[in-house]
Amino acid sequence: MAKKGHIPERTCAFCKKKAPKFELFRFVNKGGALVFDPEKKLQGRGAYLCKECFEKRDNRKIITKLVRSLRIISS
């Protein structure tokens, strides 16, 4: 039986599109590094990308936006 009730929404860090949490891809700040979180269960600050932005994730602007939103300090 399907569970009824609240469906959490998140916002894409790059294009600002809102979507249900399960449709987005999560990245976390793990020890000062950008880490993909396929299970969406790692601890720490997370940032989400929609499917369109995830496919273009090699784009420098997208990586920069993720790093800023996760507050990763590069030296």
Side-chain angles (χ1 to χ4, degrees):
M1 178 175 231
K3 186 177 179 180
K4 295 182 181 180
H6 177 71
I7 298 173
E9 276 193 343
R10 299 292 184 262
T11 304
C12 176
F14 188 70
C15 68
K16 305 299 185 201
K17 180 178 118 182
K18 290 190 177 202
K21 184 178 173 181
F22 62 87
E23 290 181 7
L24 300 172
F25 299 93
R26 184 172 190 251
F27 291 84
V28 295
N29 177 356
K30 186 85 169 175
L34 181 66
V35 178
F36 177 60
D37 183 12
E39 301 288 321
K40 297 179 178 78
K41 294 185 179 185
L42 290 176
Q43 291 183 350
R45 174 177 289 275
Y48 295 84
L49 286 180
C50 64
K51 184 179 178 184
E52 294 82 23
C53 294
F54 183 75
E55 291 172 353
K56 298 183 276 186
R57 68 187 174 277
D58 295 331
N59 184 335
R60 176 182 253 166
K61 288 182 181 180
I62 293 176
I63 298 298
T64 302
K65 190 71 169 182
L66 280 174
V67 167
R68 282 187 186 162
S69 64
L70 292 174
R71 301 179 183 159
I72 298 173
I73 300 170
S74 58
S75 52

